[in-house]
Amino acid sequence: MKVLANLRRKGYALPVLILTARDQVTERIDGLDCGADDFIIKPFDINELAARLRAAIRRYQGRPQPQLRYGGITIDPATRRVTHDDEVVTLTAREYTLLVHFLAQRGRLHTRRQLEQALYQWGDEIESNAVEVHIHHLRRKFGKDLIRTVHGHGYFVPGDSQ
């Protein structure tokens, strides 16, 4: 609790979910008052934990709705279902991750290196044009204007398109 309170005093705003076996109401109150976003007591269902994590991240990103929307694209993180103009779009795991990354941070320029870090684990072998290939596939599925290129700098999705 002291570490969390200290981080909050320093301005760290990342979502914090406390998982504990302690079930006293006063401990939950202390945790929330120290800056936790949520508090879950063991034992818990893994699906409930995943839903609470999605909700904490959504609040952190300032998105009150569970779905991520951009133009005609809707992403439901709970089911990983993606639609474009009400038609279901099938994406690979990396295409999905890249699309969520872009839409959650629209308007922000992402370097190729930042995108590689979002898509791949440490130690994964990355082909030299892997990011470009994934972007190409997303453009084919959602239109060439979804992801913009700033030559020599990176890629971005334009700001709000509701």
Side-chain angles (χ1 to χ4, degrees):
M1 299 297 175
K2 290 178 185 177
V3 172
L4 177 57
N6 189 31
L7 288 172
R8 292 300 194 221
R9 274 193 303 277
K10 290 182 178 181
Y12 288 91
L14 291 175
V16 173
L17 178 65
I18 294 177
L19 305 175
T20 185
R22 297 179 177 186
D23 62 353
Q24 297 297 316
V25 172
T26 56
E27 291 170 338
R28 286 182 281 187
I29 291 169
D30 289 345
L32 294 167
D33 285 345
C34 284
D37 296 286
D38 203 348
F39 203 99
I40 190 166
I41 300 167
K42 296 190 286 185
F44 53 84
D45 182 85
I46 195 70
N47 293 320
E48 179 185 3
L49 174 62
R52 287 176 181 266
L53 287 169
R54 286 191 302 271
I57 291 168
R58 193 172 60 244
R59 285 190 305 268
Y60 173 71
Q61 293 173 339
R63 287 188 303 115
Q65 297 178 347
Q67 291 85 18
L68 186 59
R69 298 177 193 278
Y70 183 85
I73 302 169
T74 301
I75 301 172
D76 185 345
T79 61
R80 296 180 66 93
R81 184 172 185 257
V82 178
T83 59
H84 184 233
D85 296 332
D86 297 322
E87 303 249 347
V88 174
V89 179
T90 303
L91 300 176
T92 67
R94 290 206 169 112
E95 289 170 353
Y96 176 85
T97 299
L98 190 60
L99 182 64
V100 168
H101 187 78
F102 273 122
L103 297 190
Q105 301 178 49
R106 53 186 156 233
R108 180 173 170 225
L109 185 68
H110 303 273
T111 66
R112 184 170 165 234
R113 180 72 182 129
Q114 290 169 329
L115 296 173
E116 287 173 348
Q117 289 174 341
L119 290 173
Y120 298 95
Q121 303 284 327
W122 184 83
D124 282 351
E125 191 168 324
I126 306 169
E127 296 291 325
S128 63
N129 67 338
V131 169
E132 289 81 2
V133 169
H134 296 307
I135 289 173
H136 172 74
H137 290 161
L138 289 173
R139 285 175 172 158
R140 265 196 348 208
K141 293 175 181 182
F142 298 103
K144 61 183 173 85
D145 292 330
L146 174 66
I147 301 169
R148 309 278 172 87
T149 303
V150 178
H151 293 285
H153 295 285
Y155 304 91
F156 74 100
V157 168
D160 269 346
S161 176
Q162 294 292 11

